[in-house]
C-alpha cells in the first residue's frame, strides 16, 4: 500500500544540487513541503525554490543557508522548518563531499594536515572536515530529528496504529563495500553511516514509529562527479560496455519509496531467477535498517551478512587503478606525511 506524501514536510541537507535536489523535487511534486538546507543553491535548485515559494503553491520550498559542519546551524534547520511548515515528518541528511587526492583536495587522507599545503584540515583543529560533513553531520541531524519526533504530543494509545511513521533517510554509497584506496575517509564515513542506519533499526516499532533507512548509490551523474576532474577521469563511458551513469532521478525514486508509506519495495534477487544465474525480482519489507543499493535500472537489498556486493552497470569505475598507482608512487619517496621540518606532521 502506498500512502501520500501530501501535507507532510521534509528537511533535506545538500538540496542545492545532485541527488538531494532530485529528492526534494520528488517530494514537492507529491505535495510535500521541503526545507532546502545548503551552503548555496545551484541555478537549477534556485528555480525550484522560487517556483514553490508562494503560499498558494501545492507544496512550499524554503531555502535555509546551512553549513552542516556547524551543529547550531543544524538545530536552526528544525526551528525554521517548524516555523514555516509547523511539522517535520521526513529528514534527509544528504549533504556530502568526495575526497580527491591531487587536483582539488579539500579534506583528504592523502593530504595530511600540516604536511600538505593543499589540505584545508588544520593540524590543531583535531578533525577532518570530510568526516564532519559525511558522517558527523548525518549522526547529529539524526539525533535532532529523533528528539523532534519524540517531542510531539503523543496520541491516545488506542490510536497509535494511525500515527504516521517518521522517516530519516540517509545516503550511503557502494563505497561502503568496494572501499577504493583513493578515498579512505570517504569510505570510512560510508561504512560508518551504513552501520549507523542498521543500529537504529529497532526504532521502527509500534510505539516510537521512527524509520531510519538508506540508499547506497553507485556511479551517479551529479556535480559531485561531473565537477570533479579527478573523479571524472576514473570513469570510462566512451565505449559500449564501459562504465554507465545512474541518474539522480533513479536514486530519488528509490528514496521516495522508502518514505512514502508503502509496505514493500521490489528488488532484484539472484535466487528468484530459477538458479541459472539470471536475476529475478522479489518484494522486501520497508522497515528500519533497510539499505537499498541503486545502480543502473537495478535496485538491490544490501544484506548485513554474506552480501554478494555491488556489480553490474552503474557500479563500475574502470580507471580506479590509475589513482591507486599514483597514490602508491607518491608514498615511495618516504617524505609523505612529513612537515616542513622533516618530521611527521602533528
Amino acid at each position: 500500500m502506498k500512502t501520500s506524501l501530501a501535507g507532510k514536510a521534509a528537511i533535506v541537507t545538500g538540496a542545492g544540487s545532485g541527488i538531494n535536489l532530485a529528492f526534494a523535487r520528488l517530494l514537492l511534486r507529491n505535495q510535500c513541503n521541503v526545507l532546502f538546507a545548503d551552503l548555496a543553491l545551484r541555478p537549477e535548485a534556485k528555480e525550484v525554490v522560487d517556483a514553490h515559494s508562494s503560499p498558494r503553491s501545492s507544496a512550499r520550498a524554503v531555502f535555509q543557508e546551512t553549513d552542516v559542519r556547524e551543529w547550531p546551524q543544524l538545530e536552526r534547520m528544525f526551528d525554521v522548518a517548524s516555523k514555516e511548515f509547523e511539522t517535520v515528518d521526513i529528514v534527509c541528511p544528504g549533504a556530502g563531499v568526495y575526497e580527491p587526492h591531487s587536483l582539488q583536495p579539500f579534506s583528504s587522507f592523502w593530504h595530511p594536515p600540516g604536511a600538505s599545503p593543499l589540505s584545508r584540515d588544520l593540524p590543531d583543529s583535531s578533525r577532518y572536515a570530510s568526516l564532519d560533513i559525511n558522517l558527523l553531520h548525518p549522526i547529529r541531524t539524526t539525533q535532532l530529528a529523533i528528539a523532534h519526533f519524540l517531542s510531539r504530543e503523543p496520541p491516545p494509545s488506542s490510536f497509535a496504529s494511525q500515527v504516521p511513521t517518521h522517516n530519516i533517510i540517509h545516503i550511503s554509497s557502494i563505497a561502503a563495500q568496494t572501499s577504493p584506496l583513493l578515498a579512505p575517509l570517504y569510505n570510512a564515513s560510508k561504512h560508518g553511516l551504513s552501520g549507523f542506519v542498521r543500529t537504529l533499526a529497532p526504532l521502527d516499532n509500534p510505539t516510537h514509529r521512527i524509520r531510519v533507512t538508506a540508499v547506497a548509490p553507485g556511479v551517479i551523474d551529479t556535480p559531485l562527479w561531473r565537477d570533479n576532474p579527478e573523479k571524472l577521469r576514473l570513469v570510462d563511458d566512451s565505449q559500449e560496455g564501459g562504465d554507465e551513469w545512474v541518474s539522480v532521478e533513479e536514486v530519488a525514486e528509490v528514496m521516495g519509496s522508502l518514505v512514502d508509506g508503502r509496505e514493500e519495495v521490489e528488488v532484484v534477487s539472484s535466487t528468484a531467477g530459477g538458479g541459472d544465474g539470471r536475476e529475478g525480482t522479489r518484494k522486501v519489507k520497508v522497515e528500519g535498517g533497510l539499505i537499498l543499493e541503486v545502480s543502473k535500472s537495478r535496485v538491490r537489498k544490501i544484506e548485513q551478512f554474506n552480501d554478494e556486493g555491488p556489480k553490474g552497470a552503474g557500479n563500475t569505475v574502470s580507471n580506479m587503478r590509475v589513482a591507486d598507482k599514483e597514490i602508491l608512487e607518491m608514498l615511495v619517496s618516504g617524505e609523505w606525511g612529513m612537515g616542513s621540518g622533516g618530521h611527521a606532521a602533528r
Side-chain angles (χ1 to χ4, degrees):
M1 179 184 70
K2 181 177 179 179
T3 60
S4 175
L5 292 167
K8 294 185 178 181
I11 294 174
V12 183
T13 70
S17 64
I19 294 172
N20 299 297
L21 173 57
F23 182 51
R25 280 175 165 153
L26 180 144
L27 294 173
L28 289 166
R29 285 198 307 271
N30 286 276
Q31 301 180 28
C32 176
N33 300 315
V34 181
L35 181 80
F36 285 57
D38 211 330
L39 287 172
L41 298 176
R42 291 173 67 94
E44 58 269 28
K46 188 176 186 305
E47 288 182 11
V48 173
V49 173
D50 290 346
H52 293 83
S53 60
S54 171
R56 295 186 296 275
S57 300
S58 60
R60 293 179 56 226
V62 173
F63 171 59
Q64 175 66 29
E65 183 178 346
T66 305
D67 183 341
V68 298
R69 295 172 295 181
E70 302 296 330
W71 289 7
Q73 294 190 36
L74 298 180
E75 295 179 27
R76 179 65 176 160
M77 296 187 312
F78 286 87
D79 293 338
V80 173
S82 297
K83 178 180 177 181
E84 294 286 345
F85 308 137
E86 296 185 358
T87 181
V88 176
D89 307 283
I90 300 166
V91 176
C92 174
V97 294
Y98 193 59
E99 184 187 355
H101 85 91
S102 63
L103 299 178
Q104 295 178 334
F106 165 67
S107 174
S108 169
F109 180 85
W110 299 116
H111 287 276
S116 170
L118 300 176
S119 175
R120 295 192 189 178
D121 293 323
L122 301 177
D124 59 354
S125 68
S126 303
R127 60 197 320 114
Y128 293 106
S130 58
L131 293 183
D132 283 346
I133 297 169
N134 291 341
L135 184 59
L136 297 186
H137 131 254
I139 290 175
R140 178 57 180 152
T141 301
T142 299
Q143 282 184 320
L144 294 169
I146 292 172
H148 176 84
F149 297 153
L150 295 179
S151 68
R152 293 182 170 189
E153 185 70 22
S157 57
S158 59
F159 296 103
S161 62
Q162 301 177 27
V163 179
T165 296
H166 304 302
N167 284 276
I168 304 170
I169 182 163
H170 292 274
I171 301 178
S172 185
S173 168
I174 61 170
Q177 292 184 284
T178 58
S179 306
L181 178 65
L182 174 65
L185 298 181
Y186 183 80
N187 301 336
S189 69
K190 296 306 181 180
H191 275 80
L193 191 57
S194 291
F196 178 68
V197 168
R198 295 189 190 281
T199 300
L200 298 181
L203 295 179
D204 190 357
N205 64 67
T207 300
H208 300 96
R209 300 183 66 81
I210 298 173
R211 180 170 294 161
V212 184
T213 58
V215 291
V219 184
I220 312 300
D221 193 356
T222 69
L224 196 66
W225 280 90
R226 293 290 188 182
D227 294 352
N228 188 322
E230 177 175 344
K231 197 173 182 182
L232 190 59
R233 70 193 176 119
L234 303 177
V235 178
D236 181 8
D237 58 356
S238 61
Q239 56 187 340
E240 186 176 348
D243 300 329
E244 294 189 48
W245 297 97
V246 182
S247 72
V248 293
E249 289 77 16
E250 288 180 87
V251 183
E253 286 292 336
V254 177
M255 294 171 70
S257 73
L258 292 176
V259 302
D260 65 9
R262 69 185 72 187
E263 297 178 354
E264 296 178 321
V265 292
E266 187 172 84
V267 300
V268 299
S269 171
S270 57
T271 59
D276 57 0
R278 292 179 299 133
E279 287 187 331
T281 61
R282 64 186 175 104
K283 298 281 189 177
V284 297
K285 182 181 179 182
V286 178
E287 59 186 346
L290 178 63
I291 303 175
L292 296 180
E293 175 191 300
V294 187
S295 52
K296 188 65 177 176
S297 304
R298 185 174 183 268
V299 180
R300 184 180 72 87
K301 178 183 178 181
I302 300 178
E303 302 292 347
Q304 185 169 6
F305 303 108
N306 302 316
D307 186 78
E308 63 181 352
K311 63 180 181 180
N315 281 332
T316 62
V317 182
S318 297
N319 296 330
M320 187 63 75
R321 290 183 180 179
V322 174
D324 291 351
K325 181 180 178 182
E326 290 175 351
I327 292 170
L328 294 174
E329 290 176 348
M330 180 177 65
L331 302 179
V332 171
S333 68
E335 296 180 359
W336 181 85
M338 296 294 180
S340 59
H343 302 288
R346 59 183 180 181

